[in-house]
Amino acid sequence: MPSDTQLRVSSRRSGGRTKQAGGVVTKCSSRVAKSGSQAHSFYIGDQKFSIFTADELSPVVDGDRVHFGFEVRRLRTGHRSEYNVILQDTLIVEVPAELEAEVAGEVYVLSNPSMQGLLKVGYTTGTALKRASELSGVTGVPTGFKVEWALPVIGDARAVEQRAHAHLVSYKAGKEFFKVSLDDAKAAIVQSFAELYPERAMLMDQAFSRRAEAELSRRADLAQQAERRAREKEEEEARKQFEQSLEGRWRKEGKCRMVIRPFNSEPNRNFPSFWGKLTRVRYDDYLEFKLSPGQEKGEVIWVLAISGRINEKSVWKTESFPTKQDAFDGMARAVKAHGVENHSIAVEVSNAMIETPLPLPQNVYKPGYVLEVSSIDHFVILPVPTPVRRSRFSQQ
C-alpha cells in the first residue's frame, strides 16, 4: 500500500492563488529553463503544467495518475502569456503508470471552510477533484470544497468507502460528514482498502517499489552521462588550449618538406612585361613538381601538382594517385614527358596528416614553418579526422 507521504497533498497557499489539479499524465517532456533549472512539463487533459527543479530526472512518466497544487503565472514578456507552475512539494504520484488502467474510482476526503471541524469521506468513479467541483456548484453551499486527500482504488471504490464509514462511525456527524482529524480519516480508508483487497494493496506496494528501482537505475544512468559530459568538456577545453599553443598550431599548420631534386638555378617565376616583350626579353623554362598527401572519402590519396613555364606559357596541372608509390611513378613519367632541364622535385606533407609529427625546432616561433627533412618514409600518413558537429537538440 502506498505510504501516507506518497499520497499527501499539501494545503499550502501562496497569496490565495493556489489551485488543485490531478489526473493522468500525458506528453511528458523536459528541458533546461533560462534560469538554469530543469523544467519538466506534462499535460492533464488539454492543460499543460510545468514543475521547475534542480533534478534532471522527471518526477512523472506518461500514464501516471497524479495530484498537485499549482499557480498561474505570467511570463515577463510583451504578450504576458500565462503558464501553470506546479508547487514542488505538492506533486504526488497516486498510481504508477503500469496500474493506472486498473483504477476503478477514488475514495476521497474533502473539507469546506464553511464546515469547520468536519470532513466529508466519499467515493467517485471519476476523480476527487471533479467530484469536489460538482459538490461546490450545488445551491446552498456558500464556499467550495477542497480535496484534502484521495486514494485511487483498484477494485470497488464504493465498498472501500462504506467500510471506511464503518471504521469512522463513532465520529459521524451526519451522512458522509465526520468530526475527525485528516490523519484518522486517511488511516481508516487505507485500512479498509487493505482489508478488502490485500493482494491489490500488495500490488500497489510492489508497483511503487519497481518505480523506485527504475528511478535509481535511471539516476545512475544520468550520473554516468553527466560524468561523461564533464569529462568530454574537460578534454575539449584541453584540446582547445593545445590547439591555441605554439606546439598545437605547429601540428595543425606546419609542414615537412623533402627535396628530391632542387632547381639547377632558381627560376624567375615572373613573365616578361609589355616592354620586355617589345625588347624580346625571354625567361627560361622551368617546372616545379610537388607531391602531397590528400584525402578523398576518408582515404589517403597522393596529389601531384605540376607548375611552371614552358615556351612563355604558364603550366599548371594536378593528378591524383591511390598510393605513394603510384605517385612517385607518375612523377617520374611527368618529368620525362616534359623534358625541362631546370626542374625541382619535392614532397610536402602537412603535419595534420602525420600520426606523430616531428617537434618544432628550437628558436622557431612561426607555427606555419616548413621543416626540411631527408626522408618521409618513417611518417605514418593518416586522413585528417572530420570534426563531429553536434546539434543542440541532439541526444547526449
Side-chain angles (χ1 to χ4, degrees), residues 16 26 77 117 169 224-225 266 274 282 297 319 322 344-345 383:
T26 61
T77 58
V169 67
Q224 289 180 353
Q225 292 176 23
E266 188 64 28
F274 175 75
R282 177 181 172 84
K297 297 180 180 178
E319 189 175 357
S344 69
I345 303 173

Side-chain angles (χ1 to χ4, degrees), residues 239 384-390:
R239 183 189 64 78
V384 179
T386 303
V388 178
R389 301 187 182 278
R390 287 192 177 94

Side-chain angles (χ1 to χ4, degrees), residues 202-213:
M202 185 177 296
L203 190 66
M204 288 282 280
D205 270 345
Q206 290 171 348
F208 275 105
S209 295
R210 284 193 294 272
R211 168 61 68 82
E213 290 173 2

Side-chain angles (χ1 to χ4, degrees), residues 48-296:
K48 183 179 180 181
F49 299 90
S50 298
I51 183 168
F52 298 88
T53 73
D55 195 342
E56 193 175 356
L57 186 66
S58 173
V60 296
V61 299
D62 284 1
D64 283 346
R65 181 182 286 250
V66 299
H67 195 154
F68 53 86
F70 71 97
E71 294 177 348
V72 179
R73 297 180 185 173
R74 291 181 178 272
L75 292 171
R76 295 177 180 274
T77 58
H79 55 277
R80 306 288 287 177
S81 296
E82 292 185 342
Y83 62 108
N84 300 318
V85 178
I86 298 169
L87 302 177
Q88 195 173 102
D89 62 347
T90 69
L91 178 61
I92 304 298
V93 176
E94 297 177 325
V95 182
E98 62 186 284
L99 296 180
E100 205 306 297
E102 301 182 41
V103 174
E106 294 185 359
V107 179
Y108 55 76
V109 180
L110 305 184
S111 65
N112 191 305
S114 300
M115 305 175 188
Q116 291 293 329
L118 295 180
L119 295 176
K120 174 177 169 58
V121 177
Y123 88 96
T124 176
T125 55
T127 67
L129 284 172
K130 182 178 179 181
R131 183 59 178 152
S133 178
E134 292 170 349
L135 292 171
S136 298
V138 174
T139 303
V141 179
T143 54
F145 282 93
K146 173 181 174 291
V147 178
E148 293 292 346
W149 186 82
L151 173 66
V153 175
I154 300 174
D156 188 341
R158 185 170 183 274
V160 175
E161 175 222 41
Q162 290 178 339
R163 196 176 188 90
H165 284 179
H167 284 303
L168 296 171
V169 67
S170 60
Y171 302 100
K172 192 167 185 178
K175 292 187 178 181
E176 295 182 347
F177 289 89
F178 299 85
K179 194 168 185 178
V180 65
S181 70
L182 177 59
D183 286 342
D184 287 342
K186 287 158 61 176
I189 297 169
V190 170
Q191 181 182 348
S192 299
F193 178 64
E195 290 171 352
L196 287 172
Y197 302 107
E199 292 183 359
R200 294 176 185 180
M202 185 177 296
L203 190 66
M204 288 282 280
D205 270 345
Q206 290 171 348
F208 275 105
S209 295
R210 284 193 294 272
R211 168 61 68 82
E213 290 173 2
E215 182 174 326
L216 287 175
S217 176
R218 177 65 176 145
R219 287 190 186 282
D221 289 343
L222 289 173
Q224 289 180 353
Q225 292 176 23
E227 184 180 347
R228 175 180 56 77
R229 287 195 298 269
R231 185 171 61 252
E232 289 176 349
K233 186 176 180 180
E234 289 179 1
E235 291 172 353
E236 179 67 11
E237 288 298 323
R239 183 189 64 78
K240 287 181 178 179
Q241 289 182 10
F242 175 76
E243 288 183 349
Q244 292 169 2
S245 68
L246 179 61
E247 182 185 356
R249 292 183 62 193
W250 156 245
R251 293 196 63 168
K252 184 178 180 180
E253 302 171 26
K255 296 179 181 179
C256 290
R257 187 169 184 266
M258 179 183 73
V259 177
I260 298 175
R261 183 187 189 280
F263 284 113
N264 298 339
S265 60
E266 188 64 28
N268 185 335
R269 288 179 169 80
N270 297 321
F271 283 84
S273 65
F274 175 75
W275 294 108
K277 289 180 180 179
L278 289 180
T279 56
R280 297 185 180 277
V281 172
R282 177 181 172 84
Y283 293 155
D284 292 336
D285 295 343
Y286 76 94
L287 285 175
E288 191 171 9
F289 297 88
K290 186 170 75 172
L291 189 62
S292 302
Q295 63 188 71
E296 187 176 273

